[in-house]
Amino acid sequence: MYTQERTAMSNLVVGGPVAVNGYDNAIVAALVENRPVMLVHAFNGGYLRPAELNEESHDKGVQLATALDETVKEAKGHLWYITPAGFFGQRPLYALESAAGQVTPKPTSTGNIAAGRGDDGVPKPQRRRITVHQDAPKSTADTVQVGLPDKVGEKWRGKNGAPEDTQLWIVTVTPWGGITFVPITHPDTILGFKDHAVTANSEVRLTYNWGGDFTGTVINTFYPRLPSEWNVPYHHVFT
């Protein structure tokens, strides 16, 4: 398929039914090491980015961009964290967090370092997450936003009152070496694009998963790419 250095991991299953013995380094980095990656689309080589890059934006969506300019690179708008966030049954759940607009809170004091935090006491960065609309994919409104849990609108909050519910994703490794995202609030859908059009500046939406399983289809597959690999074309994989 494509030539990249690979890391052998014995029979590792991440978030889905597909067991893979050899994993791409970027998938390992994203899911295990929690390093930021680009999410490059399998079909046309575009990448996901927030429509707005600044930290004050919590009501804008996500788009597929095909040009990576310096403004986006400097703001880290091309990078995402796939952050572990619990379990759904036996499936690990993740939050899709943008590296753009990241805020590191100031420590409240130095006296609480040992107060059960299990680390050095430094507050974790606040990152905006991809949040799903309650009525997706039926709603004609934007079905995803990028925002902090306490900043998104009411329709982007979980129906049981917990805003994080609409920000949890099942991340599945596909048989062709990419990853697919399924929101736990709408398990019959998958992360896709408005009008199923995979074009420059396509708006990201939830679309029905006509494939019927958690691996989705090629048109809903993304390849994690480390920042040093951003200019490697991957749309030729299926030719």
Side-chain angles (χ1 to χ4, degrees):
M1 292 179 67
Y2 54 88
T3 57
Q4 287 289 333
E5 181 183 357
R6 289 176 175 270
T7 298
M9 301 190 71
S10 177
N11 199 32
L12 174 66
V13 179
V14 181
V18 181
V20 181
N21 290 323
Y23 265 59
D24 187 279
N25 278 345
I27 295 180
V28 175
L31 298 177
V32 180
E33 301 173 14
N34 198 26
R35 291 171 56 188
V37 293
M38 290 185 73
L39 295 176
V40 180
H41 196 267
F43 186 73
N44 72 348
Y47 67 96
L48 291 190
R49 53 155 290 186
E52 295 288 341
L53 301 177
N54 58 65
E55 64 193 52
E56 293 85 8
S57 175
H58 301 283
D59 61 350
K60 302 299 181 183
V62 185
Q63 64 186 40
L64 184 76
T66 53
L68 183 55
D69 55 49
E70 290 301 320
T71 301
V72 175
K73 289 176 66 175
E74 290 177 4
K76 299 183 179 180
H78 59 309
L79 298 179
W80 298 87
Y81 289 88
I82 305 178
T83 306
F87 290 86
F88 179 66
Q90 294 183 340
R91 291 179 181 273
L93 295 176
Y94 297 87
L96 308 182
E97 299 180 324
S98 174
Q102 175 176 306
V103 178
T104 301
K106 296 180 180 179
T108 55
S109 68
T110 57
N112 296 326
I113 292 179
R117 297 192 65 145
D119 55 22
D120 57 4
V122 178
K124 295 296 182 290
Q126 288 184 318
R127 301 189 188 114
R128 298 177 301 151
R129 301 174 176 176
I130 297 183
T131 307
V132 177
H133 195 281
Q134 285 183 7
D135 299 332
K138 295 178 291 185
S139 172
T140 57
D142 290 344
T143 58
V144 298
Q145 288 185 355
V146 177
L148 295 175
D150 59 343
K151 297 291 180 65
V152 296
E154 290 300 319
K155 280 293 186 176
W156 279 267
R157 295 175 180 267
K159 293 185 178 180
N160 65 356
E164 293 84 358
D165 286 357
T166 53
Q167 299 180 328
L168 298 178
W169 300 80
I170 297 168
V171 180
T172 303
V173 179
T174 66
W176 39 83
I179 55 177
T180 292
F181 302 107
V182 177
I184 66 166
T185 49
H186 303 79
D188 59 339
T189 65
I190 215 159
L191 195 66
F193 299 93
K194 183 180 180 181
D195 302 324
H196 307 284
V198 188
T199 58
N201 300 320
S202 290
E203 297 178 45
V204 172
R205 294 285 190 270
L206 290 190
T207 58
Y208 285 106
N209 181 20
W210 304 117
D213 60 20
F214 279 95
T215 63
T217 58
V218 171
I219 206 167
N220 294 309
T221 297
F222 301 90
Y223 289 104
R225 292 271 59 83
L226 294 169
S228 60
E229 301 172 345
W230 70 267
N231 59 345
V232 179
Y234 283 87
H235 58 274
H236 67 281
V237 170
F238 303 101
T239 58

